[in-house]
Amino acid sequence: MVPLSYYLLLSAVLFSIGVVGVLTRRNAIIIFMSIELMLNSVNLTLVAFSAYMGTATGQMFVFFVLTVAAAEAAIGLAIIIALYRNKMSINIDEINIMKW
Amino acid sequence: MNIDTVVFFVLSGAAILSAILVITRRSPIMSVVFLIANFIILAIIYLTLYAQFIAVIQIIVYAGAIMVLFLFVIMLLNLAKDEQLKEELTYRKRVGIGLVVVLVVQLGVGLFVSVGKHPDKLAANAEKLGTVESIGKILFTEYLLPFEITSILLLVGLIGAVVLAKKRIG
């Protein structure tokens, strides 16, 4: 039987890869995909804890995280389309209208 | 080493590899393909944890709906030729990598401190937890209010996406 720590370690590694993606890439769509990667690694933690602790609460949280991710993807991609229409680019270095 | 551990290591290796490929590919289309692969591998890991319902909605909602939306937007923006962004190592990127190292150290310390305090085997009732019956029962009793609020969230998302993406008229 695999100990819970292995799942937590895998989840931590996937989360870190997602963070690297957000901080180093400049293509807005790939940054967005890295965020999905991070959400998924958190889901893995919740499912693992749910199975090892013997309550279904963790899986309920995953359900709600999935809904939030769906709404977030729709809004985020709409924002990317709006940005592309205004700037003709999705390079985040060129998108600085909110910069102080 | 028993079969569970071998399966876990194979799956986690594949998951990490596909995640690395997602953030290193130049073309967004390749990233989407590897992200779908990553989602499917995670769904299989959920199955090994007896979370059937979560595994199924992971494939239907994530790999199905959300990633199709991504592909659709990539197609709509037609970035194939001009958007091969130069990815060079700026000072901001170095600061970013430094922050990642700090995060990894924090996660490592957290895991190291808590090692040995986690349960080492699945709960006795784990097999019954992830079924549609069990999830449905708890969703429509204990978590009824959050479930209803979720519908408002989706409505807001729907309206927001339409308002943001529509062309301004006049």
Side-chain angles (χ1 to χ4, degrees), chain A:
Chain A
M1 190 53 74
V2 186
L4 178 57
S5 328
Y6 288 16
Y7 287 101
L8 298 183
L9 191 62
L10 171 62
S11 171
V13 170
L14 289 177
F15 191 88
S16 307
I17 293 172
V19 175
V20 173
V22 169
L23 290 176
T24 59
R25 294 304 299 258
R26 300 194 300 171
N27 187 331
I29 291 182
I30 293 185
I31 289 178
F32 218 63
M33 284 188 244
S34 307
I35 294 174
E36 300 291 334
L37 214 56
M38 287 154 74
L39 280 171
N40 257 284
S41 75
V42 174
N43 282 353
L44 176 62
T45 314
L46 290 169
V47 172
F49 266 114
S50 164
Y52 280 80
M53 297 296 180
T55 74
T57 310
Q59 299 190 15
M60 288 327 309
F61 268 86
V62 173
F63 183 82
F64 294 126
V65 169
L66 269 166
T67 343
V68 171
E72 175 239 352
I75 300 269
L77 290 169
I79 290 174
I80 288 176
I81 291 177
L83 279 174
Y84 185 75
R85 194 173 284 147
N86 287 322
K87 292 257 180 187
M88 293 316 269
S89 165
I90 54 164
N91 182 348
I92 53 153
D93 285 349
E94 288 169 29
I95 300 161
N96 51 10
I97 47 174
M98 301 268 274
K99 209 168 173 182
W100 185 55

Side-chain angles (χ1 to χ4, degrees), chain A residues 24-26 40 57 67, chain B residues 23 25 39 86 93 143 150:
Chain A
T24 59
R25 294 304 299 258
R26 300 194 300 171
N40 257 284
T57 310
T67 343
Chain B
I23 65 162
R25 294 304 92 188
F39 287 161
K86 275 208 197 79
K93 211 171 268 188
Y143 290 91
T150 297

Side-chain angles (χ1 to χ4, degrees), chain B residues 159-170:
Chain B
I159 296 170
V162 171
V163 169
L164 280 170
K166 84 167 187 217
K167 272 210 177 81
R168 247 173 256 293
I169 299 162

